[in-house]
Amino acid sequence: MPNKIRSLSSIIKLLIYPMVVGLVVLNIGTRTASSVENLRELDASKIEGALATASSHADELITSKITFLDTLAHNIEYNKLFDNKTYFNEYLASIPGSMPDVDSVYYWCFDTLTSYHSHYTVPAADWDATSRPWYIQTEGVRGTVITDPYVHSNGNMITSIARRIYDGNKEVGILVANVSIESLIQVVRDIEASEESLYALVVDENLNILMHPDNDWIPTSDNIHNLLNTQANFTNALQAPEGETTINTNLYGAEISVIKRSIPNTDWIILSNYPTKYVEQAIGSILLQGLVTAIGAIALCSFAIARITKTYLSPIDEVSQALTQISQGNLKYDLANINRNSEEIDNLTNSLTKLSASLNNYIGEIGTTLDHYAEGDFTKQPTQNYLGDFSQIKTSLTNISSSLKQLLSSTITSTNQMNQAVSNINLSASNLASESATQSNLLENFREDTKQVATSINNNVNKLNTNNQTIIQMAETANQSKEVTDQLVNSMNNISSSTQDIQNVIKLIEDIASQTNLLALNAAIESARAGESGKGFAVVAGEVRELSNKTTEIVQQIFNMINNNLESIKEGEQMVKLTEQTLSNIIIASNETKDSSQEVHQNAVEQTQLLNQLTKDIEYLTTGISHNTAIAEENLLTAEELSTQTTALKEQMNKFKI
C-alpha cells in the first residue's frame, strides 16, 4: 500500500515544530547545564572553603607546636638543662602559660627513669613510660613526632608532640608536650554552624574518627569510632587525589560530596562534605522552570504557525481540491470561491480556470469524435484549434482515423482470404480424418497378424526346446556307449593276449608230444634189440607213441581252433575300433547338433521378444493414430466453426464506413 502524502501545512508544521522545539530545548538545556555546573562549583567552593578553614587551623596548630617543641628541645640541648634537675623542672613549669593550647610539658630522663612535669605531677609507681605512644613513635627517630589524639584525664582531647633529647650523640631523655586540640574541634563545629549540613571530620590513617561536630562520634576514654564499622563509605574520597570532589556516603547513610586534605606532619585526613540532595533539589527546580518555559515557547510558536498556515496555505488547499476534482473528471468545478489573497494564488487560480475550460472543450470534441468511431463511422475529423501540447491529441485522433481505415480495409480483404483458406482447411481436415481412420484399421489388422506370428514362433520355440532336450539325451547316451566300447576294446585286447598265451602253451605241449613220440620210437627200437625180454616194453612204448600221436593231433586241432579264434578276435577288434570311431563321430555330431539347436532356440526366443516389442510398438502407434484421428475430427469441427465465424466477421466488417 503506497504511503499517504502529507499536506503542505502538515509538512511545514512537521519541519518547523521540531526546529522550534529543538532550539527551545537546546537553549533551556544549555542554561540548565550551566546552572547545574554553577551549583556544583558553588557546592565545591563551600566544601573547599570549609576544608581550607579546618586545614589552615590544623596546620597552624600543629606547625606552631612543632616549632615550639623544636625550639624548646634545642634550648635544652644547647644549655644542657637536663643536668640541673631543679632548675629544669621550674623551667618546664613556666612554659604552659606562655604557649596557647599547650596543656603540659614533661621530660622523661633515661638515666634516672624519672619524669619532670610542668605541673610537678608524679606518675604512679606502675606507670610505664616505654608503653606510651610518644616513647614508641620516637624510638629510632631523630625528629619530632605527633601521636594520635586521645582523651586526657581532665576530659580534654589532646595530642602529644614528642622529641628525643641528645647530649651529643647520646639519647638522654624524651621531651613531650601535651597539646589540646579542642580549638581544632571547635573549628570543625564552627564549620557546621556556618552552613546548614556543611561539616568536616578528621580521621587517621586507620580511619579512626578523631574529630567530628557531633559529640556522639567524638572519641572517649572507653571508645573510638572507626569508619569501617559504620554505614559510611568514603572509599571514593580516600582513593581520589586531594582537592577532587567525589560522591560518598556519610555516617547517616546520606549521599554527600566530599573533598579530602591531609594535615602536614601527621597521618590525619580532613574530610569536608556537603549533602548532594540540596544540589539535586536545585537542579530539579531549574529543570521545572525550563520545562514550563519550553511549554510556553512551544505553545506560542504553535499558535503563530497555525495562524500563518490558515491565512496563506488554505488557498493552496482549495486549489489542490479543485485540481483533485478536475483529475477525477469534474471539469465544471466552481473556482470562484478560492481566496485570492496573493499574486501567486491569483495567477494559479486564473491558469486553473483556463485549463478547466480548455479541457472541457477538448474532451467534448474528443467524446463526439469517439462516438462516431464507436458507431463505425471513421470519416469524422476534429475541427478545434488545440493549443500547445494538446495539438498532439488532434494529430493522434487524425492518425487513429487513418490507421483504422487502413486496418479495416486490410481486415476486410484478409477476411475474404481467410474465408477461402478456411474452406480449404475444412476440406483438408475432412480428408485427414478419413485417411487417419483407414490407417488405424490397417494397423489394427497388422497388429493381429503380428500377434499370430508371435504365437506360432512361441510354439516353435517350445518344440525346439523339447528337441534340444532329446539331442542332449542322445549326446549323453553316445558318450556312455563310447565308454562301454572302450571297455569292450580293453576286454578284446585281454582275450587276444590270453589266447596268445594259450597258443604258446599248446605249442609247448606239441613239442613235448613230439619228444615223447621220439622217446617211444627209441624205446621200441631198444625193445626190438632186447628181443623177447623187450616185448612188454615195446607194447608200452607203442601205447605211449600212439598216445603221443593222438596228443599231437588234438593239440593241432586246438591250435587250429585258437588260430581261428585269434582271427575272429582281430576282426572283432577292428569292428570295435570302427564302432568306437563311429560313436566318436556320433558324439561330435550330437554336440554340434545340440549347439545348433540351442542357437536356434536362442534366436527363436529373441525373435519372439522382438515380435512382442513390435506388437507393443504397433499398439502404441495404433493409439497415436487413433489420437490423430480424434484430433483430425476435432480439427474438422474447428474448421467448420471457423468457417461460420469467418462468415459472421465478414458480415460485421461490412457495417463500417471508411
Side-chain angles (χ1 to χ4, degrees), residues 538-606:
V539 173
V540 173
E543 291 294 330
V544 170
R545 183 178 180 186
E546 185 178 356
L547 178 60
S548 175
N549 290 329
K550 288 182 179 180
T551 300
T552 300
E553 291 176 359
I554 293 171
V555 168
Q556 187 64 39
Q557 291 176 359
I558 293 172
F559 185 76
N560 291 331
M561 291 175 64
I562 288 173
N563 285 331
N564 292 331
N565 288 335
L566 286 174
E567 292 295 330
S568 298
I569 288 171
K570 289 180 179 179
E571 292 178 358
E573 287 179 351
Q574 292 177 356
M575 293 300 294
V576 168
K577 289 181 179 179
L578 182 60
T579 301
E580 181 183 9
Q581 184 177 2
T582 302
L583 285 173
S584 297
N585 294 332
I586 291 172
I587 290 171
I588 293 171
S590 297
N591 290 331
E592 292 177 352
T593 303
K594 181 182 69 173
D595 294 338
S596 299
S597 177
Q598 289 178 348
E599 184 176 357
V600 171
H601 178 267
Q602 183 65 30
N603 292 334
V605 171
E606 292 177 356

Side-chain angles (χ1 to χ4, degrees), residues 388-406:
D389 292 337
F390 289 108
S391 61
Q392 185 65 32
I393 297 176
K394 182 177 181 180
T395 303
S396 298
L397 287 174
T398 304
N399 292 336
I400 289 172
S401 176
S402 300
S403 298
L404 287 176
K405 288 178 182 179
Q406 294 176 1

Side-chain angles (χ1 to χ4, degrees), residues 204-429:
D204 61 13
E205 62 180 356
N206 296 321
L207 302 184
N208 293 317
I209 300 175
L210 304 180
M211 304 173 200
H212 196 281
D214 190 346
N215 291 330
D216 293 338
W217 299 102
I218 294 178
T220 63
S221 58
D222 299 327
N223 183 32
I224 185 169
H225 299 281
N226 189 284
L227 287 178
L228 299 177
N229 298 325
T230 67
Q231 59 180 334
N233 185 357
F234 286 87
T235 303
N236 294 334
L238 294 172
Q239 293 178 351
E242 291 190 9
E244 181 178 324
T245 304
T246 58
I247 304 300
N248 301 266
T249 305
N250 65 10
L251 296 169
Y252 310 104
E255 190 176 84
I256 55 175
S257 298
V258 179
I259 300 178
K260 76 171 182 180
R261 183 171 295 174
S262 299
I263 298 177
N265 301 311
T266 68
D267 61 355
W268 303 350
I269 301 173
I270 301 177
L271 298 172
S272 180
N273 55 81
Y274 187 73
T276 59
K277 64 179 181 179
Y278 298 109
V279 177
E280 293 173 354
Q281 291 173 358
I283 292 173
S285 177
I286 293 172
L287 291 175
L288 180 60
Q289 293 176 3
L291 180 61
V292 172
T293 304
I295 293 174
I298 292 171
L300 182 61
C301 291
S302 299
F303 176 77
I305 292 171
R307 186 70 178 175
I308 292 172
T309 54
K310 182 177 180 181
T311 302
Y312 295 101
L313 296 182
S314 58
I316 297 178
D317 291 337
E318 294 175 357
V319 172
S320 175
Q321 293 177 3
L323 287 172
T324 301
Q325 292 293 325
I326 293 173
S327 66
Q328 294 175 354
N330 185 9
L331 301 178
K332 297 181 180 180
Y333 185 78
D334 188 8
L335 303 175
N337 295 325
I338 297 177
N339 185 12
R340 306 186 184 192
N341 55 5
S342 65
E343 182 180 356
E344 290 78 5
I345 297 298
D346 184 60
N347 293 334
L348 182 61
T349 305
N350 291 333
S351 299
L352 184 60
T353 302
K354 293 178 181 179
L355 175 63
S356 177
S358 298
L359 287 176
N360 195 15
N361 294 331
Y362 295 157
I363 291 175
E365 185 176 38
I366 292 170
T368 302
T369 303
L370 292 177
D371 287 340
H372 283 81
Y373 290 171
E375 294 174 356
D377 182 7
F378 294 97
T379 59
K380 176 67 176 176
Q381 298 291 331
T383 58
Q384 289 190 34
N385 183 22
Y386 289 76
L387 300 176
D389 292 337
F390 289 108
S391 61
Q392 185 65 32
I393 297 176
K394 182 177 181 180
T395 303
S396 298
L397 287 174
T398 304
N399 292 336
I400 289 172
S401 176
S402 300
S403 298
L404 287 176
K405 288 178 182 179
Q406 294 176 1
L407 176 62
L408 289 173
S409 177
S410 300
T411 303
I412 292 172
T413 302
S414 298
T415 301
N416 294 329
Q417 294 175 355
M418 186 173 65
N419 192 17
Q420 182 63 37
V422 167
S423 298
N424 295 332
I425 291 172
N426 192 5
L427 180 60
S428 298

Side-chain angles (χ1 to χ4, degrees), residues 320 447 487 502 561:
S320 175
R447 183 174 65 85
Q487 294 176 1
I502 293 171
M561 291 175 64

Side-chain angles (χ1 to χ4, degrees), residues 525-545:
I525 294 171
E526 291 296 329
S527 64
R529 287 179 181 176
E532 283 299 326
S533 58
K535 286 183 179 180
F537 187 72
V539 173
V540 173
E543 291 294 330
V544 170
R545 183 178 180 186

